[in-house]
Amino acid sequence: MQVMISQAVYSMQHVSCSSNADGSTRPFPAKGRVDKNCKKVIHWMRHGQTEMNVHLGSNFTPDTKFQDPLLYDTRLTAEGEAQATLARVDAKALSPYPEVLIASPLSRALHTAELAFLDVSCPTVVEPLCSERIWLSSDVGRQPAELQQDFPTVDLDNLEDVWWHNNGSGNLQHVLAETPGDATSTCMNMLFIAGGNLIAGIGRWRTNNGFLLA
């Protein structure tokens, strides 16, 4: 697996609605928030190889005998770190140059951002909507206080204690499967109200088969 950066240009006309927490939709954007004729250049990037990626490579998940290895908030492997570091050359050469970096709060995305964008000078925004939807333990996040210990330079002040799909469960390690719903539209809407027209982001689409490679 190789960490690659791709680019796309999106127009506001491609984004029409956003999802509420209960799954219902609402018109988007709110009046006056976004110019419908605006365009944003988004550089997409997938996180590096993780411990769960390695496990799934030799274990077929639809198999009735599959057992979740309980790799909560799975971390990058040594190979994943090497992939992210190698991507630093491409990140530094991005054109147009990003004005903001948007990353999922999952450790694999934050670590990839830290390594790949070391030489890129732009603010980082940590956004839960860029995270994968909950499917396995690896998609369950960690609270900001714990994340801050591993990523001391990242601003997590606006991140809720339980920012991942949990439905108020008292068990923070509860794997509550999340349906895709309109999550992709929600994520795209978030990107359109993010500061700057040139965006780089790291995470993954909250669907089964798409990647948020920013």
Side-chain angles (χ1 to χ4, degrees):
M1 184 176 72
Q2 181 180 1
V3 174
M4 300 180 65
I5 303 175
S6 60
Q7 175 182 307
V9 179
Y10 292 90
S11 169
M12 193 57 228
Q13 282 86 347
H14 295 156
V15 185
S16 58
C17 66
S18 179
S19 292
N20 293 311
D22 62 3
S24 62
T25 59
R26 61 184 184 275
F28 184 89
K31 185 178 180 181
R33 292 181 67 183
V34 176
D35 179 357
K36 280 187 173 291
N37 295 316
C38 79
K39 289 187 178 180
K40 293 208 174 194
V41 176
I42 303 175
H43 301 287
W44 305 103
M45 182 178 184
R46 186 178 191 257
H47 58 75
Q49 183 195 68
T50 68
E51 301 161 323
M52 184 63 90
N53 291 149
V54 173
H55 181 82
L56 294 179
S58 56
N59 295 271
F60 190 51
T61 49
D63 192 321
T64 56
K65 296 181 180 180
F66 174 80
Q67 291 187 338
D68 190 327
L70 303 182
L71 296 171
Y72 291 97
D73 192 21
T74 184
R75 313 301 200 273
L76 295 185
T77 62
E79 176 65 21
E81 292 178 343
Q83 292 167 345
T85 301
L86 187 62
R88 191 177 299 166
V89 175
D90 292 334
K92 190 174 182 179
L94 287 176
S95 179
Y97 201 73
E99 296 174 332
V100 62
L101 170 63
I102 300 177
S104 156
L106 289 169
S107 292
R108 53 188 178 270
L110 291 174
H111 198 178
T112 298
E114 182 180 64
L115 295 174
F117 287 82
L118 180 66
D119 301 321
V120 176
S121 179
C122 66
T124 298
V125 175
V126 179
E127 175 50 62
L129 289 176
C130 288
S131 302
E132 297 185 48
R133 70 183 183 90
I134 301 291
W135 178 39
L136 296 171
S137 59
S138 53
D139 306 318
V140 174
R142 291 187 291 160
Q143 294 182 299
E146 189 175 354
L147 285 172
Q148 200 75 79
Q149 295 179 26
D150 290 342
F151 307 100
T153 63
V154 177
D155 184 0
L156 301 173
D157 289 347
N158 295 321
L159 192 64
E160 295 183 3
D161 277 347
V162 183
W163 53 265
W164 60 95
H165 183 63
N166 183 269
N167 270 8
S169 170
N171 180 3
L172 297 183
Q173 293 190 324
H174 178 47
V175 181
L176 183 61
E178 185 178 12
T179 56
D182 198 34
T184 299
S185 294
T186 306
C187 184
M188 287 302 300
N189 292 336
M190 176 276 298
L191 292 176
F192 265 88
I193 63 175
N197 289 327
L198 308 175
I199 299 173
I202 301 176
R204 190 170 179 180
W205 283 124
R206 303 183 73 205
T207 60
N208 270 335
N209 53 8
F211 299 135
L212 174 60
L213 310 171

